[in-house]
Amino acid sequence: MRSRDLYSLLLIAAIAVLALVINLAPSQNFFGRDVRFRLGLDLQGGIQVLLRTTSATATEADVETAAGVIERRVNGLGVGETVVQLAGSDRIIVELPGIDNPEQAVETLRGTGRLEFINSQGQYIPEGTVVRTTGEPNPPQLGDTSLMTDTTALGPIFQSITDGRDLDTSQVSPVFSQGGTLGSRPAVSFAFRGQSATNLAQFTATNIGQPMCIVLDSAVVSCPVINGALNDGSGVIETNSNEDRDRIFNQLKFGALPIPLEVETSRTVSATLGQASVETSIVAGLAGLVVVAVFMIVFYRLPGLLAALALVIYTLISFSIYRLIPITLTLPGIAGFILSIGLAVDANVLIFARLREEYRRGRDIRSALEMGFVESWPAIRDSSVSTLITSIVLFLFGNSFGVSIIKGFAVTLGLGIVVSLFTAIVVTRTFLRLAAPLFSEQRAWLFGIDRRTPVTTDSAAANSL
């Protein structure tokens, strides 16, 4: 065994063992990293929401910024495997797999996250009431008011004490309020900076015993009585439940949306359908692997068996990459993986076909093996590059037009091509080099080849070079 082949075998063994450890990690945890399979919306159920901006002046940059804010919000909800992507220039697609409270999630997504404290002029305004403020005189919830001549019919405009842009998001956190007539309640702590902090301190100092309403996205959250001055511009917002607290926290913590959004469509995907799809995909994948392995062994015998072993290593590596990155698996993504299996086998077929041809021309088995790889490489390279280009185009198309299922297919197919190049050129080649000493004229059948051209002096001389 040559040292180069030995080093290659050790590298392959190390990679295979690492991939196996990742795939079989106890509690799906690999050195503190969660390596569970991430299932997409179509596999574990959830909701898909299409948001559209209601602002006529919103730019594409505003929509991109809003998508970033929404992504931080859904991550704050603790929902894994989410998809947030642009759909055209004024829409955002949000997919939330496994979500158990769709109403709360949608409300968290669409709220702009604008927090205001207003002077309610001594009034206790019911929670949930949409109000007009000096910061937002025409809230989207009231519809298009630009054509109305009597704006007083919409209600008074309340003076804003604070500006939502002065909110210090680093000071926003979920807490429990202490004391009070209702005891400990879920709450969200906050702190304002700059002029808003000064205004809040002055107003609370001069209006002790009076109500002051807290408004989030033009809707009243509560109207607490001022018990003392908020000299540092900080305090807490009490809520009625943990769900309300978490919703308000995520809207405030991860930034305000630069534009208002409305829910254009919302659909729920059944988890039962997803489970059936997973089971069917697993069966299809295993069946594909078995059929391909049988084909390779029947037609190419020992090289086919070694290619099947390389295919197992290919599968282990692919699954470990899916877990580590992580990649969200969808039905089209699984289809891309299964297709990549066929492409991986195709590379081996090209190599073995060239090996047979070179051997029949009179080369010894090792020379035929090396020439088989050399001669088949241009075809393998060109087909792999063309498929990679297709995968990149599909990914960019899906990313630009909000077609997530195309992205999933493109990602798994592209990764499959890269991994298949490694298994075909490195793994299969190393296995065949190690098996070459077992070859003899009497064992030619074991390699699925036969010599039809007798060895000539010229070919023997060529083999000695």
Side-chain angles (χ1 to χ4, degrees):
M1 181 185 298
R2 293 183 297 181
S3 58
R4 181 179 62 179
D5 298 334
L6 176 60
Y7 293 147
S8 296
L9 181 62
L10 291 176
L11 174 63
I12 294 168
I15 294 176
V17 170
L18 178 61
L20 188 62
V21 169
I22 294 173
N23 286 295
L24 300 179
S27 302
Q28 305 291 290
N29 187 286
F30 181 71
F31 289 100
R33 184 177 182 83
D34 185 3
V35 291
R36 292 176 300 168
F37 273 124
R38 271 65 171 177
L39 301 181
L41 186 67
D42 54 351
L43 296 183
Q44 65 168 313
I47 62 172
Q48 183 186 66
V49 182
L50 178 62
L51 301 172
R52 181 178 65 87
T53 178
T54 58
S55 173
T57 59
T59 64
E60 188 171 349
D62 292 333
V63 178
E64 291 179 357
T65 302
V69 172
I70 289 176
E71 186 165 14
R72 292 193 295 271
R73 287 184 181 179
V74 294
N75 291 336
L77 287 173
V79 180
E81 302 80 60
T82 59
V83 175
V84 179
Q85 58 185 346
L86 299 179
S89 60
D90 62 346
R91 289 173 172 83
I92 302 172
I93 291 178
V94 185
E95 295 182 355
L96 304 174
I99 194 73
D100 56 359
N101 192 334
E103 292 77 13
Q104 176 195 349
V106 171
E107 185 63 26
T108 301
L109 295 179
R110 66 181 299 273
T112 61
R114 181 185 180 90
L115 179 66
E116 295 177 280
F117 285 72
I118 65 171
N119 180 1
S120 62
Q121 302 171 2
Q123 303 179 47
Y124 290 95
I125 304 176
E127 294 182 12
T129 303
V130 177
V131 296
R132 305 170 67 205
T133 68
T134 54
E136 184 59 78
N138 297 307
Q141 296 94 319
L142 295 179
D144 186 3
T145 62
S146 60
L147 301 178
M148 297 187 65
T149 56
D150 185 12
T151 57
T152 58
L154 300 174
I157 297 179
F158 295 98
Q159 176 66 42
S160 297
I161 304 168
T162 62
D163 188 330
R165 290 173 294 185
D166 290 337
L167 180 68
D168 185 356
T169 57
S170 66
Q171 300 299 316
V172 177
S173 61
V175 296
F176 282 92
S177 64
Q178 302 298 324
T181 58
L182 298 179
S184 179
R185 299 178 62 189
V188 178
S189 65
F190 66 88
F192 282 95
R193 299 169 294 195
Q195 188 60 44
S196 291
T198 302
N199 294 343
L200 189 60
Q202 292 175 351
F203 182 84
T204 53
T206 58
N207 289 274
I208 294 176
Q210 296 295 315
M212 177 182 64
C213 291
I214 304 172
V215 177
L216 180 61
D217 295 338
S218 301
V220 175
V221 174
S222 64
C223 286
V225 174
I226 301 172
N227 295 320
L230 301 178
N231 293 322
D232 56 357
S234 63
V236 297
I237 303 172
E238 292 186 346
T239 62
N240 295 321
S241 65
N242 290 335
E243 289 75 15
D244 287 341
R245 178 195 63 185
D246 294 341
R247 174 178 59 83
I248 294 173
F249 165 72
N250 279 287
Q251 287 178 319
L252 298 181
K253 177 67 176 179
F254 300 107
L257 291 173
I259 52 176
L261 297 170
E262 68 175 8
V263 178
E264 186 167 87
T265 60
S266 176
R267 69 183 182 94
T268 301
V269 178
S270 170
T272 303
L273 175 63
Q275 183 61 35
S277 301
V278 172
E279 294 173 356
T280 303
S281 299
I282 291 175
V283 172
L286 291 177
L289 284 172
V290 172
V291 171
V292 168
V294 170
F295 167 81
M296 296 295 292
I297 294 173
V298 169
F299 281 87
Y300 296 102
R301 298 171 189 173
L302 180 59
L305 179 62
L306 297 177
L309 179 58
L311 197 60
V312 172
I313 295 176
Y314 162 83
T315 303
L316 288 175
I317 295 175
S318 297
F319 284 175
S320 63
I321 292 175
Y322 296 164
R323 292 171 180 269
L324 276 178
I325 290 181
I327 292 176
T328 300
L329 287 179
T330 60
L331 281 177
I334 294 176
F337 167 72
I338 295 175
L339 178 60
S340 68
I341 292 176
L343 296 175
V345 173
D346 183 59
N348 287 296
V349 169
L350 289 173
I351 294 169
F352 297 159
R354 293 300 304 176
L355 186 156
R356 281 180 170 179
E357 292 179 8
E358 295 299 326
Y359 181 75
R360 288 170 179 169
R361 291 175 181 174
R363 295 183 182 276
D364 63 73
I365 189 62
R366 184 172 289 277
S367 297
L369 169 62
E370 298 302 328
M371 287 303 300
F373 278 92
V374 171
E375 295 295 331
S376 61
W377 168 243
I380 296 173
R381 177 198 60 205
D382 294 346
S383 63
S384 298
V385 170
S386 62
T387 307
L388 276 176
I389 292 175
T390 302
S391 299
I392 293 172
V393 171
L394 287 175
F395 180 86
L396 294 176
F397 176 84
N399 192 56
S400 299
F401 294 94
V403 189
S404 59
I405 59 175
I406 292 180
K407 288 178 61 178
F409 176 83
V411 169
T412 54
L413 179 60
L415 278 176
I417 293 299
V418 174
V419 177
S420 69
L421 284 176
F422 170 76
T423 54
I425 303 302
V426 178
V427 178
T428 304
R429 190 174 195 170
T430 299
F431 288 168
L432 287 174
R433 281 175 173 172
L434 296 175
L438 301 175
F439 180 83
S440 65
E441 291 289 346
Q442 294 74 24
R443 296 191 184 123
W445 63 271
L446 187 60
F447 285 74
I449 54 179
D450 61 305
R451 175 166 293 174
R452 296 179 179 176
T453 303
V455 179
T456 63
T457 303
D458 293 338
S459 63
N463 290 337
S464 64
L465 295 180

